[in-house]
Every structure is written in C-alpha cells, then in structure tokens.
C-alpha cells in the first residue's frame, strides 16, 4: 500500500558564494515567518558550522549538511535530514539554503520526490560583484534554475551599472532555464525580479505557503475572504485538464501564485495545484480530501520586473 505523507511547502534559496543567502533567511525569519514553524536545511561548502549557528538564533530547527553537495553526494543525507525534521518538528514551511557551488534544479526534483511542494526557487545575486563571477557555469545555472531573481546590494551600484547587470541576469535566465528533453518545453514560463539591499524581500514572495491543513481550512470556510491580494474560486464539477492548463498559462501578470486542491476529469484522486511565478506543479495527490475543488489566487502588491 502506498504511504502518503504530509506535504510541506518549501523554498530553495540559491546563489553564488557571498551573495547574501543567509542574510535573506535571517530577514525572512523576522519579517515573514514569525508565526510559523519553519525548519531550515543548510549546505555550505567551505563555511561548515557558520551558517547553521547563525540561523539557529532565528529559526527553531536548523539541520546542517556539511562538506558536500545536496544535489549529488549528500542526497541520502538530505532525505534523512528531511525525514528527521518531519518526525521531530512537523514544520509548516521548509527552507533549503544550498551551497554556493550547487545548482538548484536537482534539489527541486528531490524535494518534490520527498513530498514537498516547491513554492519558489530564489536566486540571490550579488549585484555589486556580479561581473566577478557572472561567467561561472554554476552561477549561470543558479540563475536559470530559479523563478525568483533577487538583485541584492543595489545600493553599491550606480543606475547605469545596475541596469546593465539586470539586463545580463535576464539574458542568462533565458539561456539557462531548464528544458524538458522530451517535450522541448521550458521548466519555467516566467520569473519575477526584485531589487533590494541586505536581502530584504516583500511578503509577496512567501505568501501562499499554505500547508494542506491550511488549504482544507480555506475550502471548508463558509466565508471566503477576498482581500486586495487574495481571491478564492470554487468549482462544483471536475475540471478538464487542457482547459485548466490553458487558463493557468494565461493568468494576468500580477497573479504570482495559485494554490488549491482540484479534481480533474478522468483523474481518480484530487491533486494539489501549486503554481508559483510561471511554474505549475500537479505532482502531489490528496487522496483524503472530500471537499469542493478550489483555487486561491495571490497577486503581487508591488510592481516587479
């Protein structure tokens, strides 16, 4: 019999060495996750013990995977760490800080296989020092494998240089966006780009990190609250997959995230819908859900590129 486990919303934070990943996580803990149980997995080659100790001051559960790369030699340790976090801590959100020398795409696949819904892959870019590492192959794949690009340290650049860096980052994303070898389709249809200092990001980036329990609560609520940035849509009948896929691809640009539980025609089990910044994931089944099909649409509250 297949064993179903609780699905954890997850974010992957990637970026070259020294770009500001840990600072971003510290800020996120203070500004966006103060009321949630958040676990962090850290993997930093060459800085063993440093990031983990720093983050333990902000997050309740931090597991560090030293001297290796999650996407290859440490896959078994990564799976073990995630299982330990589930059993001991039962987090509402998981954050994975990759090594500065790692490409995030294999980690995305591992997280999905281990029962996580990847709500965003954030690449933080050191704008001030981008010219020093922009030709590194790993740095290029970090940008292309992400759907949230963050130009950090913009206060250290003049407007002309910042505009040039932004242009080069966007061009890199277009070239290194993963492509399905069988269908030729890009992994990401789109991305968002934020410009910031000290790794600070708006709440839009982390909004919609709902657990299955959260989503079921939304579905069972008699009053669906419509705020400036959130709208709930329910469906009485199973949806046609092709029609649904077409509507998702043509969402307004301001809709950055869609989450929900939906029944599709000719699919026996309801599926978790997880759309984030252009990427749709329908890989998770929700077999014990008996409520109506519904989607939560989340829109950005500020202009992004």
């Amino acid at each position: 019999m297949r064993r179903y486990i609780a699905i954890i919303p997850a974010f992957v934070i990637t970026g070259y060495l020294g770009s500001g990943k840990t600072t971003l996580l510290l800020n996120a803990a203070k500004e966006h996750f103060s009321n949630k149980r958040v676990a962090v997995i850290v993997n930093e080659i060459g800085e063993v013990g440093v990031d983990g100790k720093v983050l333990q001051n902000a997050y309740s559960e931090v597991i560090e995977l030293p001297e290796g790369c999650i996407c290859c030699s440490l896959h078994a340790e990564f799976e073990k760490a995630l299982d330990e976090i589930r059993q001991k801590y039962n987090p509402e959100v998981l954050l994975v800080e990759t090594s500065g020398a790692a490409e995030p795409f294999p980690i995305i696949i591992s997280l999905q296989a281990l029962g996580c819904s990847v709500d965003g892959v954030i690449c933080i870019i050191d704008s001030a020092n981008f010219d020093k590492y922009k030709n590194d192959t790993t740095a290029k794949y970090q940008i292309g494998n992400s759907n949230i690009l963050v130009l950090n340290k913009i206060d250290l650049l003049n407007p002309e240089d910042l505009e040039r860096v932004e242009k080069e980052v966007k061009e890199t994303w277009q070239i290194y966006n993963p492509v399905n070898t069988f269908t030729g389709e890009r992994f990401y249809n789109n991305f968002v780009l934020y410009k910031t200092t000290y790794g600070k990001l708006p709440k839009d980036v982390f909004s919609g990190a709902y657990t299955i329990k959260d989503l079921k609560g939304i579905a069972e609520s008699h009053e669906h609250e419509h705020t400036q940035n959130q709208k709930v849509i329910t469906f009485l009948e199973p949806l046609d997959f092709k029609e649904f896929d077409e509507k998702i691809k043509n969402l307004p640009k301001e809709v950055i995230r869609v989450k929900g539980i939906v029944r599709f025609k000719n699919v026996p089990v309801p599926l978790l819908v997880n759309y984030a910044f252009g990427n749709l994931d329908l890989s998770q089944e929700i077999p014990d859900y008996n409520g109506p099909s519904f989607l939560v649409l989340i829109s950005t509250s500020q202009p992004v590129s």
Side-chain angles (χ1 to χ4, degrees):
M1 179 180 293
R2 182 176 179 180
R3 181 172 68 98
Y4 291 95
I5 56 179
I7 297 171
I8 304 174
F11 291 88
V12 178
I13 293 85
T14 188
Y16 206 67
L17 296 166
S19 58
K21 297 186 294 296
T22 303
T23 302
L24 184 152
L25 283 170
L26 290 171
N27 286 326
K30 180 173 63 176
E31 298 177 9
H32 306 304
F33 292 124
S34 59
N35 62 342
K36 282 185 175 287
R37 295 189 308 277
V38 182
V40 182
I41 298 179
V42 181
N43 175 217
E44 191 65 51
I45 299 174
E47 300 179 17
V48 177
V50 176
D51 285 357
K53 288 182 175 63
V54 170
L55 290 169
Q56 281 172 355
N57 294 320
Y59 293 98
S60 300
E61 186 72 15
V62 177
I63 292 182
E64 190 166 28
L65 302 181
E67 296 298 347
C69 179
I70 293 174
C71 63
C72 47
S73 60
L74 285 182
H75 177 75
E77 286 82 356
F78 181 48
E79 184 173 358
K80 181 180 178 182
L82 183 54
D83 190 54
E84 179 182 336
I85 284 174
R86 285 181 187 278
Q87 293 184 25
K88 293 184 178 180
Y89 188 57
N90 188 28
E92 295 172 282
V93 179
L94 175 68
L95 305 177
V96 180
E97 178 190 343
T98 74
S99 161
E103 298 171 12
F105 190 70
I107 300 169
I108 300 168
I109 303 303
S110 293
L111 283 168
Q112 291 175 336
L114 296 172
C116 294
S117 64
V118 180
D119 281 18
V121 184
I122 303 168
C123 180
I124 187 162
I125 297 148
D126 183 346
S127 302
N129 295 294
F130 184 63
D131 289 343
K132 297 178 181 178
Y133 70 84
K134 66 182 181 181
N135 294 320
D136 183 273
T137 302
T138 297
K140 293 177 179 178
Y141 279 108
Q142 288 173 342
I143 293 170
N145 290 182
S146 304
N147 58 356
I148 305 168
L149 305 179
V150 181
L151 295 182
N152 197 28
K153 307 180 186 179
I154 62 172
D155 55 318
L156 302 178
L157 287 178
N158 61 51
E160 293 77 16
D161 285 337
L162 178 58
E163 184 178 355
R164 175 183 55 81
V165 169
E166 180 179 349
K167 181 175 181 292
E168 292 181 6
V169 166
K170 289 179 177 178
E171 290 173 347
T172 300
W173 184 89
Q174 292 289 345
I175 295 170
Y176 288 87
N177 182 355
V179 176
N180 187 312
T181 54
F182 296 102
T183 66
E185 293 184 357
R186 288 174 174 267
F187 186 74
Y188 296 121
N189 293 319
N190 201 359
F191 68 92
V192 293
L193 186 143
Y194 294 93
K195 303 170 192 175
T196 191
T197 57
Y198 307 108
K200 293 184 178 181
L201 290 174
K203 65 178 181 180
D204 299 331
V205 175
F206 301 103
S207 61
Y210 299 119
T211 63
I212 296 301
K213 183 179 179 181
D214 293 332
L215 289 172
K216 289 180 178 178
I218 291 173
E220 293 167 358
S221 173
H222 294 293
E223 294 184 4
H224 289 162
E225 183 179 356
H226 292 243
T227 66
Q228 181 180 1
N229 305 115
Q230 179 173 302
K231 180 179 181 181
V232 180
I233 303 174
T234 57
F235 306 92
L236 298 178
E237 300 294 334
L239 302 182
D240 178 82
F241 178 79
K242 288 185 177 181
E243 292 179 3
F244 173 82
D245 188 53
E246 191 64 27
K247 288 182 178 180
I248 288 291
K249 289 179 179 178
N250 290 284
L251 284 169
K253 187 176 181 180
E254 61 268 21
V255 177
I256 58 174
R257 184 158 299 165
V258 179
K259 264 206 164 177
I261 303 174
V262 171
R263 289 183 176 81
F264 290 98
K265 294 177 181 178
N266 302 317
V267 178
V269 178
L271 300 180
L272 173 67
V273 174
N274 185 28
Y275 170 88
F277 304 101
N279 185 43
L280 176 64
D281 176 26
L282 295 170
S283 62
Q284 308 286 353
E285 298 179 350
I286 314 295
D288 60 345
Y289 179 67
N290 297 314
S293 296
F294 71 98
L295 295 172
V296 182
L297 280 65
I298 300 166
S299 303
T300 183
S301 60
Q302 68 175 58
V304 294
S305 300

